[in-house]
Amino acid sequence: MLKTISGFDRIGEENAFAVLARATELAGQGRDIINLGIGQPDFRTPDHIVEAAIKALRDGHHGYTPATGIAPLREAVAADLAKRHGVETDPGNVLIVPGGKVTMFMAILMFGEPGTEILYPDPGFPIYRSMIEFTGARPVPVPIREENDFAFSAEETLSLLNEKTRLLILNSPANPTGGVTPGSEIEALVKGLEGHPHVAVLSDEIYSQMTYDGMEHVSLLKYDSIRDRLILLDGWSKTYAMTGWRMGFSLWPDALADKARKLAVNAWSCVNAPAQFAGLAALTGPQDAVRDMVAEFDGRRKVIVEGLNRLPGVSCRTPLGAFYAFPNIAGTGWKAKKLASALLEEAGVATIGGPDFGILGEGYIRLSYANSTENIKIALARIEKFLEQ
Ligand code: PLP
């Protein structure tokens, strides 16, 4: 019997990929499946970004790059952060990574070990808890509540900190809820964190450009008092419809930047070179495609929320960010995972059961509206018919 480390007895995964596999299998059998399960934009990567990658290959950029990423791209990231958040950062603290997920992997590996605690949002992106468990640290869920419009509460978060806490993970705009935490709450949290200087913060801002109804995304980067322990996670996947390119970036505080670089050298050497040139074109080129995509998501958001609220036993808050709706389905009498599974198998609509995002996800399902308005309407009609049966 091969004996691996005990972390593998505890590591989890992301059920969205299992749902995607089952949806693809059913579609392969000739079933008509509408996929509202997976969280990726249904748009093509804008042409000028694709062309930049092709040009990079033609120009001979097919070798290793510096482990931290090509210099112009790190500078472009710093310029982008300055433009969007009004904050100066050193390109030397930017790390280009193969996908947004990699930053959470690195940050959790850096801080988790038995005897320590890491706080993470519940419901939240499943990899947070999975990786915390892997390291042997104690995962401490921070409840994300519907009655709070799925924003996190500064008071509740602060009440969970203690001397064993090493890392606090925050995510706004959030997956799976679409919740956006208002600036006032973030400010209160930062104020409280000033009394806990041993706690590092990982702010997952991968949906930073996707907010609606005038809701402002407030980056944790804005707060000087925690800059020396803030790890910022962002990337290209959602903003530029580039999930398959595997392009993300992080900003590390001085004390951690070299540790992060060493992890990169040990694990992947560098991100693939032409993809980095594509990322550069994305940040420095026209941003119309981003605005158009967000406007399109906004329209679909209204359609899906209105449609969900018409369903028997279902109520849905209006999400203010990302591209997910997280309706409360308690009134249908179904358990969330059973409902998600029945909707896929019987109604041909892929969704994800709330418990795949944490214990507090029971009573909810997640629907991604990264699909056409037409498909969303058909999916809603199918769900309605199914629930009325
Ligand atoms: N963080 C959150 C909250 C996400 O929802 C996702 C993807 O779904 C990621 C990070 C990872 O993004 P990437 O595909 O760039 O690894």
Side-chain angles (χ1 to χ4, degrees), residues 51-290:
E51 291 305 324
I54 295 168
K55 180 171 183 310
L57 279 174
R58 293 221 162 96
D59 290 350
H61 294 294
H62 45 65
Y64 293 126
T65 76
T68 49
I70 55 172
L73 181 56
R74 299 165 79 205
E75 283 157 19
V77 167
D80 178 59
L81 293 174
K83 185 178 78 187
R84 292 194 290 121
H85 306 312
V87 178
E88 292 302 316
T89 56
D90 181 349
N93 292 33
V94 173
L95 182 68
I96 308 302
V97 282
K101 219 179 214 176
V102 176
T103 300
M104 70 185 75
F105 182 85
M106 297 170 82
I108 296 168
L109 267 191
M110 263 187 209
F111 287 101
E113 63 182 326
T116 67
E117 297 185 359
I118 298 182
L119 272 57
Y120 70 101
D122 181 338
F125 191 56
I127 298 305
Y128 305 140
R129 182 178 177 115
S130 166
M131 274 306 298
I132 298 168
E133 298 263 22
F134 181 73
T135 65
R138 191 167 90 87
V140 180
V142 176
I144 303 296
R145 300 182 191 282
E146 180 181 1
E147 57 270 28
N148 204 20
D149 272 333
F150 298 117
F152 57 77
S153 143
E155 195 184 340
E156 198 164 13
T157 307
L158 291 166
S159 75
L160 296 167
L161 298 173
N162 63 43
E163 70 288 350
K164 289 191 196 144
T165 314
R166 287 252 180 101
L167 180 67
L168 163 64
I169 303 175
L170 302 168
N171 175 219
S172 173
N175 178 7
T177 59
V180 182
T181 301
S184 55
E185 205 61 24
I186 292 179
E187 216 162 296
L189 179 75
V190 171
K191 269 258 150 303
L193 282 172
E194 288 168 8
H196 301 271
H198 62 293
V199 177
V201 179
L202 168 64
S203 185
D204 182 343
E205 304 186 11
I206 195 98
Y207 298 101
S208 55
Q209 304 216 41
M210 293 175 179
T211 59
Y212 313 102
D213 294 346
M215 186 74 185
E216 191 197 354
H217 164 68
V218 176
S219 174
L220 270 285
L221 195 56
K222 290 201 164 155
Y223 300 93
D224 282 345
S225 65
I226 56 161
R227 273 292 286 285
D228 61 350
R229 50 194 163 113
L230 174 73
I231 302 159
L232 179 77
L233 180 164
D234 204 334
W236 286 262
S237 295
K238 316 288 175 174
T239 314
Y240 297 98
M242 290 176 70
T243 48
W245 293 75
R246 306 317 296 140
M247 280 287 291
F249 66 82
S250 28
L251 183 78
W252 297 83
D254 290 339
L256 302 178
D258 204 52
K259 291 189 165 95
R261 181 190 62 78
K262 283 185 180 150
L263 266 185
V265 171
N266 275 272
W268 57 86
S269 299
C270 66
V271 173
N272 106 46
Q276 293 192 53
F277 283 87
L280 180 59
L283 293 184
T284 55
Q287 302 298 303
D288 324 21
V290 177

